[in-house]
Amino acid sequence: MASNRTSLADEDGDSSDWIEIYNSSRDALKLLDWSLTDDPENLTKWRFPKLELAPKGYLIIFASGKYLRNPDSPLHTNFSLSRDGEYLALIRPNGSIAQGIEFPAQHPDVSFGLGKAVTQTDSLLHSESQAAVH
């Protein structure tokens, strides 16, 4: 959600941009050292803290620029999203791109997502774990 006005408020009441991650696997996905980025030259721009995403589970990460990584609180990246469109990627711990997109200009309060899950074969994680960015 790169143009959030009223769809979801963060814990401060701000209408921050947000990213939703989905684990389509039947197994929990360990997210430690996975990253999100809006910069293809900096693949580890924001790293996930030590947490697990439940099977078939969803996780919201605010793209607010607040840079909060406490796994017991709402998560916030150190970047925000451009409503004019930009690059966004989910990066595996080994530095490979699990999913990267160039999303188009966004309308207020209308999310953009991908319906395809990416199979994770990285040896650092369970071989059937899947994650997708929406």
Side-chain angles (χ1 to χ4, degrees), residues 6 9 16 27 32 42 44 50 61 74 80 100 102 104 108 117 125-126 129-130:
T6 61
S16 299
D27 300 311
L32 179 64
N42 182 2
T44 58
K50 184 177 182 179
I61 303 97
S80 57
E102 188 77 37
L125 298 173
H126 190 279
S129 295
Q130 298 178 347

Side-chain angles (χ1 to χ4, degrees), residues 23-39:
N23 177 7
S24 64
S25 172
R26 293 178 291 163
D27 300 311
L29 178 62
K30 294 179 182 181
L31 290 172
L32 179 64
D33 291 329
W34 282 68
S35 300
L36 287 170
T37 188
D38 66 343
D39 181 352

